[in-house]
């Protein structure tokens, strides 16, 4: 079980700094951030400090000592979706380019692209690949939208056994498995299908299992600011089963524990038993 | 449940196949195969029905077209001697292939909206290209090389079943993996095949761009040709990622195909015995 440390914020990829994470054009986000600021100011919500610092207002300009830290920790909710502005035309162009590349691939592996079974394969493979990476088309804030409800729920909420199918970013070969997500609400709960949608948006990308786990946990933490979030993912990696080490029965498990789940072993244990992933395949 | 193989499927061969020289005289220079063919000639009167179902090796090499059977025979090429698409690959040809596929993957990464220069994706095109070449390594071997001379004379009269062989293949329609298990059984006719050669035959056919039905048929025909048993049966049960990860998105469904040749096609009791012995447990 891997424990998430604060050090991982330093391993961010350089390109993510270019994302506008406090985008002033989104009026809704400015409002909600102000609300969070006021609500959480007095309450001891240690979750906030683990995810991102107390929000640095947009109007301050650089001299704040926290800016360096804030810049490294990007908001997961407002991260720019890479393919967000796709019109149908752009999408068709993408599929066209990928089809052409697949034709070259078919020739290069020695096959005959003009035989009956392979005639439309480049197009089908391109559309399949675009589908497998459709997580790039949505931002989390759109997915979560307004399915955040005020509830007097104090006990753990666990959504377990969510199937995920993702692509390994190192070999572009699928990996698949199950996710269990749990959180301890702090007066706010998230719509249950939104938990599954968050998982879906992050998994339908070129992913590394560790990053996937962390992103799911951070998205839920940001969206509802609970007392704690826990995520466990168990996957079979085709890149390890079909090639390379060729270990048929091995699975990879990663986890992310934030807030109460990191500090209190009993909460962690309760989550691990409630959200246990039964053997599959 | 068993899919009946009909002779009609010989008519569905793509035009490319017909051009392959499937009775290539150059490949039958090894003394053992020549001797084997002559043995068939001497036993022509008692040739097994299995052979009649597939082809008769002895006829076409000698006779020249007048036989009314040779039209039928020419439709079904020999599986053992089928040319391997990448057989003549030298090291430099292989590297050329990999760099062509690498460039294609770079284009693909850019087109899906990702940033190919980020740390995790820097070497991905090359890794993906090598992975794909590995997933299609079945094109590099002919079955005759795989089987080589692991054919032994044995007085074995009972069914031999090799079950639950793991296979990992690529769907030729979407280039997405499908994987599962294969069970192979045959009733020997004085000759048995080395057991690991069965698994190797399965491996060579599955590491290609495949359709599950064709994969099943090819495995059955290769074993039938190699040792000419009284019957061959193959069951393949697979999960198709193209159906689970996309499209219909049916998570729990599996596809089962089978090929029954010879005694297994004609005798229901034999078929039932194979289905019991070679049953693929849920995985």
């Amino acid at each position: 079980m891997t424990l998430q440390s604060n050090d991982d914020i330093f391993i961010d990829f350089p390109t993510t700094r270019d994302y506008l994470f406090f985008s002033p054009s989104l009026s809704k986000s400015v409002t909600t951030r102000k609300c969070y600021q006021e609500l959480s100011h007095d309450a001891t919500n240690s979750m906030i400090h683990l995810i991102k610092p107390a929000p640095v207002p947009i109007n301050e300009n650089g001299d704040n000592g926290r800016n360096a830290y804030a810049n490294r920790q990007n908001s997961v909710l407002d991260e720019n979706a890479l393919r967000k502005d796709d019109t149908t035309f752009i999408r068709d162009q993408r599929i066209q380019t990928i089809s052409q590349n697949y034709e070259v691939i078919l020739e290069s592996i020695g096959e005959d692209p003009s035989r009956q079974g392979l005639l439309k394969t480049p197009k089908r493979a391109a559309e399949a690949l675009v589908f497998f990476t459709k997580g790039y088309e949505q931002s989390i804030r759109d997915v979560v939208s307004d399915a955040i409800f005020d509830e007097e729920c104090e006990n753990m909420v666990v959504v377990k056994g969510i199937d995920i199918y993702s692509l390994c970013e190192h070999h572009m070969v699928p990996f698949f498995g199950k996710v269990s997500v749990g959180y301890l609400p702090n007066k706010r709960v998230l719509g249950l299908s939104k938990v599954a949608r968050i998982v879906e948006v992050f998994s339908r990308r070129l992913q590394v299992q560790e990053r996937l786990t962390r992103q799911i946990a951070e998205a839920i933490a940001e969206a509802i600011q609970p007392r704690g979030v826990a995520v466990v993912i168990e996957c079979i990696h085709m890149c390890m089963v079909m090639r390379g080490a060729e270990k048929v029965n091995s699975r990879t498990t990663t986890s992310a524990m934030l807030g109460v789940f990191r500090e209190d072993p009993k909460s962690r244990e309760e989550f691990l038993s409630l959200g246990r992933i039964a053997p599959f395949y | 449940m068993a899919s009946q193989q009909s002779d009609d499927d010989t008519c569905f061969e793509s035009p490319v196949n017909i051009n392959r020289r499937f009775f290539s005289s150059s490949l039958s220079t090894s003394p053992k195969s020549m001797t084997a063919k002559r043995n068939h000639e001497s036993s022509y009167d008692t040739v097994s029905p299995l052979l009649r179902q597939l082809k008769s090796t002895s006829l076409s090499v000698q006779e020249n077209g007048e036989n009314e059977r040779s039209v039928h025979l020419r439709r079904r090429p020999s599986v053992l001697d089928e040319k391997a698409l990448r057989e003549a690959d030298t090291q430099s040809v292989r590297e050329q292939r990999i760099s062509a596929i690498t460039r294609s993957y770079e284009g693909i990464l850019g087109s899906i909206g990702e940033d190919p220069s980020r740390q995790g994706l820097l070497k991905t095109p090359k890794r993906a290209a090598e992975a794909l070449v590995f997933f299609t390594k079945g094109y590099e071997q002919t079955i005759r090389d795989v089987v080589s001379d692991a054919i032994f004379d044995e007085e074995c009269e009972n069914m031999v079943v090799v079950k639950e062989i793991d296979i990992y293949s690529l769907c030729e329609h979407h280039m997405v993996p499908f994987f599962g298990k294969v069970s192979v059984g045959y009733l020997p006719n004085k000759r048995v095949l080395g057991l690991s050669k069965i698994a190797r035959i399965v491996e060579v056919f599955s590491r290609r761009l495949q359709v599950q039905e064709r994969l099943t048929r090819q495995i059955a025909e290769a074993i039938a040709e190699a040792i000419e048993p009284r019957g061959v049966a193959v069951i393949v049960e697979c999960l198709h990622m193209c159906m689970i990860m996309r499209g219909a998105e049916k998570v729990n469904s599996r596809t089962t195909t089978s090929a029954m040749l010879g005694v297994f096609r004609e005798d229901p009791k034999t078929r039932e015995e194979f289905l019991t012995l070679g049953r693929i447990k849920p995985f």
Side-chain angles (χ1 to χ4, degrees):
Chain A
M1 197 174 62
T2 56
L3 291 179
Q4 296 287 326
S5 72
N6 276 339
D7 290 341
D8 61 356
I9 57 172
F10 296 97
I11 314 177
D12 264 345
F13 305 116
T15 49
T16 54
R17 283 203 207 105
D18 297 332
Y19 291 140
L20 294 170
F21 49 93
F22 286 130
S23 30
S25 56
L26 292 171
S27 54
K28 177 168 179 172
S29 62
V30 173
T31 314
T32 49
R33 215 166 272 115
K34 286 210 186 101
C35 285
Y36 293 174
Q37 230 179 347
E38 278 146 25
L39 280 175
S40 63
H41 183 63
D42 290 325
T44 45
N45 193 342
S46 55
M47 276 296 297
I48 298 280
H49 295 299
L50 283 173
I51 307 303
K52 58 176 187 170
V56 180
I58 309 168
N59 29 22
E60 282 183 46
N61 220 351
D63 291 323
N64 192 333
R66 283 219 199 132
N67 262 357
Y69 179 83
N71 280 341
R72 283 208 200 94
Q73 189 85 47
N74 299 313
S75 154
V76 170
L77 279 189
D78 292 317
E79 220 171 58
N80 233 354
L82 295 174
R83 296 209 305 241
K84 194 169 186 188
D85 302 314
D86 266 19
T87 59
T88 311
F89 177 67
I90 293 181
R91 187 179 190 275
D92 286 341
Q93 270 186 341
R94 288 190 197 278
I95 290 187
Q96 177 78 5
T97 317
I98 302 177
S99 298
Q100 279 155 3
N101 284 311
Y102 265 117
E103 278 170 26
V104 174
I105 288 178
L106 279 182
E107 284 269 6
S108 308
I109 61 178
E111 264 283 5
D112 168 25
S114 61
R115 70 173 171 90
Q116 190 214 30
L118 294 186
L119 270 181
K120 295 194 204 159
T121 290
K123 181 126 192 290
R124 284 185 292 235
E127 289 183 348
L129 190 60
V130 165
F131 182 87
F132 294 155
T133 52
K134 69 178 165 72
Y136 292 126
E137 289 166 13
Q138 279 186 303
S139 68
I140 302 299
R141 199 171 279 286
D142 296 335
V143 166
V144 167
S145 59
D146 44 3
I148 297 175
F149 308 105
D150 296 317
E151 281 290 332
E152 284 297 327
C153 176
E154 297 261 344
N155 291 304
M156 201 183 296
V157 177
V158 175
V159 183
K160 77 177 199 178
I162 305 170
D163 290 305
I164 59 159
Y165 302 92
S166 188
L167 279 183
C168 157
E169 76 174 12
H170 299 143
H171 301 94
M172 290 181 70
V173 175
F175 69 92
F176 53 89
K178 290 187 191 271
V179 181
S180 287
V181 176
Y183 67 94
L184 273 166
N186 184 13
K187 305 285 190 277
R188 268 196 296 237
V189 298
L190 186 58
L192 294 172
S193 77
K194 299 299 185 264
V195 174
R197 280 182 191 265
I198 290 175
V199 168
E200 181 81 351
V201 164
F202 282 123
S203 66
R204 294 286 187 181
R205 299 179 175 186
L206 296 184
Q207 272 288 6
V208 165
Q209 193 178 328
E210 297 86 337
R211 186 195 316 138
L212 172 61
T213 321
R214 179 177 61 83
Q215 283 176 321
I216 297 171
E218 288 180 358
I220 295 180
E222 257 196 70
I224 49 171
Q225 280 143 357
R227 286 183 283 141
V229 183
V231 178
V232 163
I233 301 188
E234 187 171 317
C235 281
I236 298 178
H237 289 250
M238 288 277 106
C239 60
M240 196 161 73
V241 166
M242 276 177 82
R243 61 165 289 288
E246 294 195 63
K247 296 301 178 191
V248 170
N249 294 322
S250 81
R251 296 125 193 272
T252 305
T253 305
T254 55
S255 58
M257 305 286 172
L258 299 176
V260 170
F261 288 103
R262 183 180 294 193
E263 290 148 17
D264 179 17
K266 284 216 162 289
S267 301
R268 204 186 307 151
E269 198 184 320
E270 183 185 344
F271 165 71
L272 291 175
S273 64
L274 284 177
R276 202 173 76 86
I277 296 174
F280 54 92
Y281 291 132
Chain B
M1 178 185 120
S3 64
Q4 297 287 329
Q5 294 285 330
S6 74
D7 279 341
D8 290 341
D9 61 355
T10 59
C11 303
F12 293 137
E13 295 291 344
S14 65
V16 179
N17 274 343
I18 294 178
N19 296 333
R20 296 219 187 100
R21 291 179 299 138
F22 48 92
F23 286 130
S24 36
S25 42
S26 58
L27 281 173
S28 45
T29 49
S30 67
K32 178 161 181 174
S33 61
M34 286 296 289
T35 315
K37 281 207 187 69
R38 291 220 188 87
N39 281 342
H40 284 303
E41 282 175 38
S42 62
S43 64
Y44 178 62
D45 290 334
T46 56
V47 70
S48 71
L50 182 60
L51 278 188
R52 279 205 212 97
Q53 276 176 16
L54 295 178
K55 64 183 178 82
S56 163
T57 40
S58 56
L59 281 181
S60 310
V61 175
Q62 310 289 332
E63 295 176 40
N64 216 355
E66 311 297 336
N67 190 335
E68 71 221 11
R69 273 207 208 151
S70 44
V71 174
H72 174 81
L73 294 173
R74 224 172 264 128
R75 282 208 204 104
R76 191 186 285 273
S78 152
V79 170
L80 279 189
D81 292 321
E82 219 170 59
K83 235 165 62 147
L85 295 173
R86 295 206 311 239
E87 194 174 7
D89 264 19
T90 59
Q91 187 68 14
S92 72
V93 171
R94 187 178 192 274
E95 277 163 23
Q96 274 180 348
R97 291 190 194 278
I98 290 187
S99 40
I101 304 177
T102 304
R103 283 193 295 269
S104 304
Y105 267 118
E106 282 168 17
I108 289 177
L109 277 184
S111 308
I112 60 178
E114 264 284 5
D115 168 23
S117 61
R118 71 173 170 88
Q119 189 215 32
L121 293 186
L122 271 182
K123 294 193 204 160
T124 289
K126 181 127 197 287
R127 283 186 291 235
E130 290 182 350
L132 190 60
V133 165
F134 182 86
F135 294 155
T136 52
K137 69 179 166 73
Y139 291 125
E140 288 166 12
Q141 280 185 302
T142 61
I143 303 299
R144 199 173 278 286
D145 294 334
V146 166
V147 166
S148 59
D149 45 2
I151 296 175
F152 308 104
D153 297 318
E154 281 288 332
E155 284 297 328
C156 175
E157 296 260 348
N158 292 304
M159 202 183 294
V160 177
V161 175
V162 182
K163 73 179 202 176
E164 292 181 352
I165 305 169
D166 287 307
I167 59 159
Y168 302 92
S169 189
L170 279 182
C171 158
E172 76 174 14
H173 299 142
H174 301 94
M175 290 181 70
V176 174
F178 69 92
F179 54 90
K181 291 183 194 271
V182 177
S183 286
V184 176
Y186 67 96
L187 271 167
N189 185 14
K190 304 286 189 277
R191 269 192 302 201
V192 297
L193 185 58
L195 296 171
S196 77
K197 298 299 183 264
I198 297 178
R200 281 181 189 267
I201 290 174
V202 168
E203 180 81 351
V204 164
F205 282 124
S206 66
R207 295 286 187 183
R208 298 179 175 187
L209 294 184
Q210 273 286 7
V211 166
Q212 193 177 328
E213 297 86 338
R214 185 195 315 137
L215 170 64
T216 319
R217 178 176 63 81
Q218 283 175 320
I219 296 171
E221 288 179 357
I223 295 179
E225 258 195 68
I227 49 171
E228 284 149 15
R230 287 183 282 144
V232 183
V234 178
I235 309 181
V236 178
E237 186 171 320
C238 281
L239 285 161
H240 289 251
M241 289 274 105
C242 59
M243 195 161 72
I244 295 176
M245 280 177 80
R246 60 165 288 289
E249 295 195 64
K250 296 298 178 192
V251 171
N252 293 322
S253 84
R254 295 129 193 270
T255 305
T256 305
T257 55
S258 57
M260 304 285 171
L261 298 177
V263 172
F264 290 98
R265 182 182 295 189
E266 288 147 18
D267 180 11
K269 282 215 162 289
T270 311
R271 203 185 309 150
E272 198 184 321
E273 183 185 345
F274 167 71
L275 293 173
T276 314
L277 288 175
R279 200 172 77 89
I280 296 175
K281 294 196 196 59
F283 55 91

